[in-house]
Amino acid sequence: MPQIPLVHFRLSSVGRSDPDGQSIEDVGTNAHRAVTTVVSMYAITIREPGAPNVLEWTEQPEPQPGPGEVAIDVAAAGINRADLAQRKGAYPPPQGASEILGLECSGTIAELGDGVTGWQPGDRVCALLAGGGYAERVVVPAAQLLPVPAGMDLVEAAGLPEVGCTVWSNVIMEAGLRSGQVLLVHGGSGGIGTCAIQIGTAMGARVVATAGSAESLQLCRDLGAEVAISYREQDFVEEVKKLGGADVILDNMGAEYLDRNISALAPDGHLAVIGMQGGRKAELDIGKMLVKRLHMSVLGLRGRPVEGPQGKAAIVTDVAERLWPLVERGEVRPIVHGSMPMSDAAKAHALLEAGGVHGKILLQVP
């Protein structure tokens, strides 16, 4: 039972009244007895770092929006490989971010924090998150909200914010991909890869993608890749050189592909590294880069500040202005492998780790 706080009275020297002249009896009659209510929700929590079975659907305190933030009643959340790394203890959330997994979600606005304008409770939105998406409710800075694209299902929209902002910020905003240039996308059948192929094609680039199985390679072609390369059977460096080299490479492998990526770039090319699935450390031949005047960026998205020239707000604004029209015209869409109840997040993680997933897996709130 909640503890009821005591109401303290002070006797003045002039009879039984408080310093404001109100009688003690009146004060006692009018006093409000405060009862604290803790509102809860359900969310996926990590019992301890480890395999998918450490994920549990548990009751948690419901977050409340602060100034400049909104609370979202979550409809669905997208799964990203960063979530798998966090579950294993290898990718902790940024300071101040929710410990709950989930870097993107969709839903409806439930509540506005002080100072938020341009949005209303009930608006259908999707959001770029630093964490917290695997839950019934999440709080996010209003600057990281995006409207659900016209004509798109609310659940499907959960698969857009993280991949869209990642690809757009690296390939378009940072590397400056232009029409007619060659874009090499590694991991073309995954969530990031399927998005990158479509964005490159929509921007008029010649897209080359790597993938493993015949089914994955065909998906890359269906999404617009001019050339689909089997990383198991072909040398992507030689295949890309047939096109004169890549002007931009979007790489999720890191160390394992570093030297070959440098070799595959055309003069003045740009290597954008966004992942380390192939390791963290490798030898870099700066001489190769110098001769071809190459550029290299290694940029994360989750840990960026909200505001500032490299902040998430600037990325989300550019995505809303330039990528969202492509989505609404059907030139770019989330590729969804399937969806599961959010309470089955452990099964979803196991499925993604087993391989063979094309596009995104979404978690729906029951």
Side-chain angles (χ1 to χ4, degrees), residues 5 9 82 109 111 122-123 129-131 164 166 183 187 195 209 226 252 261 270 284 309 312 321 337 340 342 344 358:
F9 305 104
I109 293 178
E111 188 178 350
D123 285 348
L129 309 172
T166 296
L183 168 65
C195 182
E226 181 178 326
N252 62 348
N261 280 332
H270 189 118
L284 175 62
K312 296 175 188 175
E321 291 178 354
H337 183 90
M340 295 184 179
M342 190 170 284
D344 287 340
H358 294 150

Side-chain angles (χ1 to χ4, degrees), residues 295-341:
H295 304 262
M296 180 175 171
S297 58
V298 185
L299 300 175
L301 180 60
R302 186 184 193 185
R304 293 187 188 220
V306 177
E307 303 296 341
Q310 300 296 322
K312 296 175 188 175
I315 294 171
V316 169
T317 297
D318 207 56
V319 163
E321 291 178 354
R322 296 202 286 162
L323 174 56
W324 249 225
L326 302 178
V327 176
E328 293 184 339
R329 291 200 298 267
E331 296 179 52
V332 177
R333 69 185 194 280
I335 304 302
V336 178
H337 183 90
S339 63
M340 295 184 179

Side-chain angles (χ1 to χ4, degrees), residues 43-44 55-57 340-347 363-366:
I44 291 294
L55 299 180
E56 299 177 333
W57 186 237
M340 295 184 179
M342 190 170 284
S343 54
D344 287 340
K347 294 180 182 178
L363 299 174
Q364 287 188 250
V365 173

